Amino acid sequence: MNLDKYLDVAPEIRAALAAGKPVVALESTILSHGMPYPQNLAFAARVEQVIRDEGAVPATMAIIDGRMKAGLTGAELERMCKAEGVAKVSRRDLPILLAEGGTGATTVASTMILASLAGVRIFATGGIGGVHRGAQETMDISADLQELAHTPVAVVCAGAKMILDIGLTLEYLETMGVPVLGLDTDDFPSFYCRKSGFGVDYNAKTPADAARVAKTKWDLGLIGGLLIGNPVPEEYAMDFDEMTAVIDRALAAARDAGVRGKDTTPFLLAHIVEYTGGRSLATNIELACHNARMAARIAVEYAKL
């Protein structure tokens, strides 16, 4: 397969990978579809610097003018943040967007694909998608879960978003053979909150522990990735009962508005920001930076192996 036809790997990232140095993938949907401009641009700079401060190289993924990009220039990053004519791209959208020469921001699933194609094994995001509430009737299940089952990338996140059915999400991952680790926690985090009431498969006390599990899985030739739950720092965590009430209210608003499919998550997150007076967005930013920090530490340990 001639990837050069479709994929551009930034020179810094190409050199780091060739030298066996740690690299951390970042998504672009959080920039284009998760935050307003120019707040998203400041966030992008901050999260990349967090990774550099830990001794790793950041690789933000995107599709620009029909090219997959592993690592963005300053101008490309700004273009993604301004989000003019930028689609939201998951696995199913990739071939269409590339064939048509389009521009799009990568979700968890498509970021995993680009990272894997570029040779990046560790990826930091906010929270993963999963099984939506009521999926028994709607079959609304995020492509993130299938990607974790098939693509060899370790995803560091603050758990699954609370708008989801977390119990069913973890059941699905178990069926797909995806190890779910907690970073120094026995309890799977729930994005805004440090706990969900559901356990993890393994408490990785240190980044080195998580790196060893990832290396062992891939050494065995087992397909797919790993999910590493990293709880939001205590000082930024939100109250579980309060957030449960807020999310129930947002879900009711989505039902009343007839929102479905991939429009559901952006709709719910926007309403959650409104209902919490902006506190949820501040938590979102802090947990994303914390995930980047821990992903960089895992990448550093993984590079040593």
Side-chain angles (χ1 to χ4, degrees):
M1 179 170 58
N2 181 17
L3 280 178
D4 290 343
K5 184 177 178 183
Y6 301 106
L7 174 66
D8 295 328
V9 180
E12 181 190 18
I13 292 156
R14 191 182 294 276
L17 291 169
K21 292 181 178 175
V23 179
V24 176
L26 296 166
E27 62 165 282
S28 46
T29 289
I30 193 171
L31 305 178
S32 298
H33 304 287
M35 293 182 196
Y37 181 85
Q39 188 175 7
N40 51 7
L41 191 60
F43 166 77
R46 180 182 168 193
V47 81
E48 288 200 352
Q49 190 58 50
V50 163
I51 290 169
R52 291 188 189 282
D53 289 346
E54 295 293 337
V57 178
T60 302
M61 307 290 171
I63 316 295
I64 296 180
D65 298 332
R67 302 283 301 174
M68 294 186 291
K69 300 280 186 177
L72 305 181
T73 65
E76 289 169 340
L77 204 56
E78 182 150 6
R79 183 173 173 185
M80 298 310 293
C81 289
K82 286 185 173 174
E84 293 161 2
V86 175
K88 185 177 180 181
V89 183
S90 191
R91 170 177 277 268
R92 69 174 182 184
D93 311 301
L94 259 180
I96 299 167
L97 206 72
L98 295 180
E100 294 300 317
T103 295
T106 54
T107 62
V108 168
S110 52
T111 301
M112 287 181 73
I113 293 169
L114 268 64
S116 181
L117 291 174
V120 179
R121 292 289 205 171
I122 313 295
F123 162 36
T125 186
I128 61 155
V131 180
H132 280 262
R133 301 185 194 192
Q136 298 92 326
E137 285 79 38
T138 65
M139 294 299 290
D140 192 352
I141 300 171
S142 170
D144 297 355
L145 302 188
Q146 277 293 313
E147 214 57 58
L148 279 159
H150 297 293
T151 303
V153 172
V155 180
V156 180
C157 67
K161 298 181 178 80
M162 283 184 75
I163 58 177
L164 303 168
D165 187 318
I166 293 177
L168 287 184
T169 296
L170 293 172
E171 288 283 356
Y172 192 107
L173 289 169
E174 180 186 358
T175 301
M176 291 291 135
V178 178
V180 177
L181 280 52
L183 263 184
D184 199 22
T185 180
D186 293 311
D187 200 303
F188 187 67
S190 58
F191 200 62
Y192 302 113
C193 305
R194 290 177 60 82
K195 297 186 176 182
S196 66
F198 296 94
V200 295
D201 300 324
Y202 173 63
N203 182 339
K205 296 289 187 184
T206 66
D209 291 342
R212 273 197 306 274
V213 173
K215 179 75 161 53
T216 303
K217 174 173 182 171
W218 296 324
D219 279 351
L220 292 171
L222 297 174
I223 64 165
L226 302 88
L227 188 63
I228 303 171
N230 179 41
V232 58
E234 195 86 61
E235 62 267 34
Y236 301 111
M238 301 190 75
D239 179 76
F240 186 86
D241 292 336
E242 178 195 357
M243 287 310 299
T244 299
V246 164
I247 284 158
D248 287 345
R249 185 178 165 196
L251 286 164
R255 280 194 300 274
D256 292 345
V259 177
R260 292 184 180 84
K262 68 178 182 180
D263 295 329
T264 304
T265 298
F267 179 93
L268 292 173
L269 293 181
H271 278 67
I272 290 165
V273 171
E274 180 188 336
Y275 297 158
T276 61
R279 285 183 298 130
S280 65
L281 179 58
T283 295
N284 194 348
I285 289 169
E286 294 302 332
L287 68 82
C289 288
H290 186 52
N291 292 341
R293 182 176 299 110
M294 300 313 289
R297 291 179 186 175
I298 292 168
V300 167
E301 295 299 330
Y302 184 80
K304 294 175 185 175
L305 301 173

